[in-house]
């Protein structure tokens, strides 16, 4: 599938010029060039009037001095010089520019931003006051040092942030937990490319399976809802709105100079647009990694399988509180479980395999539970510290993907546990450090199940086939996103 | 201060017998002996009728065969044999026994448990169906392998758990984050020593500065409230109640056979007893590490200092939602901040030092903010990925302890960040991976401020000094717990 959009040039340019490239380690213009060099396979042109070579790359005194065409410019120079550079970019027929430079509306300098906006006609601009983009397989413009901020592997989460710091901190967290992203974009002050256009873009991007958005304000509410409504029918969108209280709204004004608007208005807009609202930072991360890697939950019927009774109880509490039902397994399943489980285990949902469970016990129990027709999704709690659980448990959990039902894992603990959690994440299995967070992620899968269902078009007459009385809706949404 | 209690023998025995000690690695009786050998400096007597030496220790066929006196027995044998061993322990004048063995009321075997209880008169029993105790400087009876479950350093959290798995998973998490504990006790089926007696014990334990409790049920509600009420006046108690919903309550019945009781009843009892209720696993951990290491917040007036605007906004939202006030700094502070902060920084609370902040900028700003008389506590957000922040930031944050005001840190990110977070934790500074969790921990410090204040006795006439019109209440509570 070929995916054509002018915004593609941000992630897949043929050539990049770095205006403000510096020879001095520690400077932003050096760090950006270093990140691009590490990640990008196309032509790179450092632009610096005083250098002939930076980081082993031939440097040019100006954009116009570059003899070949340039697709993308990354600009990290003083605010007052940005406008002229943009005009030069246009002359050079550069398609898009990422403006890292700050010093515009976010510090009250609205006039300079307006001028920049005017100058920016006929070229696509990202920023200013942003950290640019990261597409693990293509390009990385982030200026945070690689030893301090790890870059994640390729994965299914497309992430749009109006705050560079929020975006990069989550990127770092994702990398350390083994959670992959498709594309990250820091939209900054949005003088041209907005969060809405990026949602539309990621909606069409085949490598993005779920979209996460950090919002402080929305430029055009109507457009935002319309676009999100369309996109959320085909892939899940999770968004957090910062600045929902009086104190928070005032802080938004200090941060980006924008108006945060009414909290209820946002929640209502999210609901209307089919956006799953994250109530805190953790939920942005927790929900999007589930939504990007697991099929939606088609109803609210789940089973909890655990090796720790206490964790099962806490998971059951959270499930009930968010409207998930712990279904009774069918009689055949119960009989099957009783056949091999020790008498002190509990076959009642939450199914407690107890603290001396082996990997085999998990395998047999999970097969029965996943195959049970009453069960639509499974929360697996696996406390990996117990001596009886061998290394096979990670493969057993990976193999549960074959059942096609959504599942999430809770594994609480230190290094040993976290290392195994990373392995599971690499299989596309979302892992959470507490039972409550695991269950809430399952709720997000349930929420998206509802949204996808509601967003389905009535089947067209010619598509109706007499054998199929009704398309199995949850399945088709699953297919799209796997 | 000498602290005498019969329960002391659980943590500071002179000698320990391990009944069911095994020569086979992987067996529980082997793992327990190994943990005790690694941690305990007194005499250890493995009891095994078939061995003469285990793990380099002389083994005995029975307790009575041990020629010297024994303080504590740790029992890991089949349920049906435990009663006879307890009778033998009594004959040997052993002061207390930790019964790891399961197979009693938790699997419906109530009669066996009742018999055990009868046999247990004149000896103190912990368990059965528990994992025992961990006191980092004294003794460790946990049977989880050391390479899978790390043991934390000595610290201020005393932790009581009715679920062994919940307790040990959190112990492991604490160890990996550098959070210290004073004593951990898994109370199991509580046929003798209950959660209430342990709260009383830890209340008197000088090394415990805050108590965390995982509860499924309470044996004696009245005694629980009375004891907790007394203890919470002198040190904070955080508790989580598992089984607060219909689904959860049913799961409790399957787990320990006990009745979970009404959710509202528990919340009311907690409030009456001055217990801070944790609503989820994360809060147990988050709140207790703040309460064990920071003074209480005397009112609700806080400042937020950040290098990421977005994080400042999210923190402000959470603060307002939980009743914390972002105070205006006084005029002198504002002038002081403006003197050295760049024009694009924000001196309005949340104080945004921006993404190019240096360690020095933090140092100067924090000094002004901590010294401001309007500010009672500080939430410091330090995104450590930025290149301008050097290694000094951890020492600067450590030095903020000298101001005597409560503070918590938010640092979001991967390995680099987490390594520095561990260092901060070792200084007694609680660090959280999201702004919301950091602010909620500050709320717990505020909650305890209220509880400590309410619990203060009226000053006795002879203590009243004419110079001091009113004792500074928050300070004295601070003193007690530092």
């Amino acid at each position: 599938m070929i995916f054509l959009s002018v915004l593609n040039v941000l992630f897949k340019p043929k050539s990049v010029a770095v205006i403000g490239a510096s020879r001095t380690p520690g400077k932003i213009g050096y760090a950006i060039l270093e990140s691009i060099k590490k990640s990008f396979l196309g032509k790179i042109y450092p632009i610096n009037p005083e250098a002939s070579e930076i980081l082993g790359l031939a440097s040019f005194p100006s954009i116009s001095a570059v003899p070949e065409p340039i697709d993308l410019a990354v600009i990290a120079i003083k605010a007052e010089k940005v406008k002229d550079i943009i005009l030069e970019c246009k002359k050079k027929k550069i398609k898009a520019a990422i403006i890292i430079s700050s010093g515009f509306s976010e510090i009250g300098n609205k006039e300079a931003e307006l001028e920049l906006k005017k100058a920016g006609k006929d070229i696509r601009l990202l920023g200013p006051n942003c950290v640019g983009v990261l597409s693990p397989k293509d390009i990385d413009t982030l200026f945070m040092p690689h030893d301090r901020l790890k870059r994640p592997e390729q994965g299914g989460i497309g992430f749009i942030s109006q705050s560079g710091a929020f975006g990069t901190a989550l990127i770092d967290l994702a990398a350390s937990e083994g959670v992959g992203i498709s594309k990250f974009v820091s939209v900054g002050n949005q003088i041209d490319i907005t969060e809405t256009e990026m949602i539309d873009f990621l909606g069409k991007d085949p490598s993005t399976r779920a979209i996460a958005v950090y919002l402080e304000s929305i430029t055009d509410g109507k457009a935002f809802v319309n676009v999100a409504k369309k996109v959320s029918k085909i892939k899940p969108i999770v968004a957090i709105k910062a600045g929902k209280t009086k104190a928070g709204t005032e802080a938004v004004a200090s941060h980006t100079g924008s108006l945060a608007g009414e909290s209820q208005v946002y929640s209502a807009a999210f609901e209307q647009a089919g956006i799953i609202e994250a109530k805190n930072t953790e939920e942005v991360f927790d929900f999007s990694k589930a939504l990007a890697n697991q099929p939606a939950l088609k109803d609210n019927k789940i089973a909890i399988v655990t090796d720790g009774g206490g964790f099962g109880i806490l998971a059951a509490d959270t499930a009930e509180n968010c409207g998930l039902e712990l279904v009774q397994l069918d009689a055949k399943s119960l009989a099957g479980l009783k056949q091999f489980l020790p008498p002190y285990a509990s076959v009642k949902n939450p199914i407690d395999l107890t603290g001396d469970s082996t990997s085999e016990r998990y395998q047999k129990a999970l097969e029965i539970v996943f195959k049970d027709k009453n069960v639509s999704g499974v929360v697996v709690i696996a406390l990996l510290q117990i001596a009886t659980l061998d290394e096979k448990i990670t493969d057993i959990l990976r193999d549960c993907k074959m059942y096609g039902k959504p599942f999430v894992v809770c594994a609480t603990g230190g290094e040993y546990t976290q290392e195994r959690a990373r392995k599971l994440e690499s299989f596309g299995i979302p892992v959470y450090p507490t039972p409550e967070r695991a269950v809430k992620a399952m709720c997000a899968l349930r929420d998206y199940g509802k949204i996808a269902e509601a967003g389905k078009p009535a089947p067209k007459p010619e598509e109706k086939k007499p054998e199929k009385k009704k398309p199995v809706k949850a399945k088709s949404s699953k297919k799209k996103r796997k």
Side-chain angles (χ1 to χ4, degrees), chain A residues 266-278:
Chain A
Y266 276 91
S267 293
F270 285 177
E271 207 188 322
Q272 207 190 331
I275 292 174
I276 296 165
E277 187 173 1

Side-chain angles (χ1 to χ4, degrees), chain A residues 348-366:
Chain A
K348 201 175 171 306
N349 195 355
I351 297 131
D352 186 359
L353 308 180
T354 78
D356 63 351
S357 180
T358 58
S359 294
E360 287 67 31
R361 200 186 289 172
Y362 263 101
Q363 186 171 30
K364 285 185 187 170
L366 289 172

Side-chain angles (χ1 to χ4, degrees), chain A residues 29-48:
Chain A
Y30 180 90
I32 292 173
L33 189 65
E34 202 181 21
S35 290
I36 294 176
K37 203 188 158 200
K38 273 190 187 202
S39 57
F40 179 62
L41 296 174
K43 285 253 181 180
I44 306 169
Y45 306 105
I47 309 294
N48 179 326

Side-chain angles (χ1 to χ4, degrees), chain A residues 406-428:
Chain A
F407 73 106
V408 296
V409 171
C410 162
T412 308
E415 281 137 43
Y416 178 87
T417 296
Q418 286 164 18
E419 203 184 307
R420 266 129 210 96
R422 274 192 290 275
K423 196 171 174 191
L424 291 171
E425 293 279 3
S426 77
F427 298 148

Side-chain angles (χ1 to χ4, degrees), chain A residues 166-178:
Chain A
F166 185 91
T168 49
L170 252 67
I171 285 289
D172 189 16
L173 192 63
S176 88
E177 292 196 8

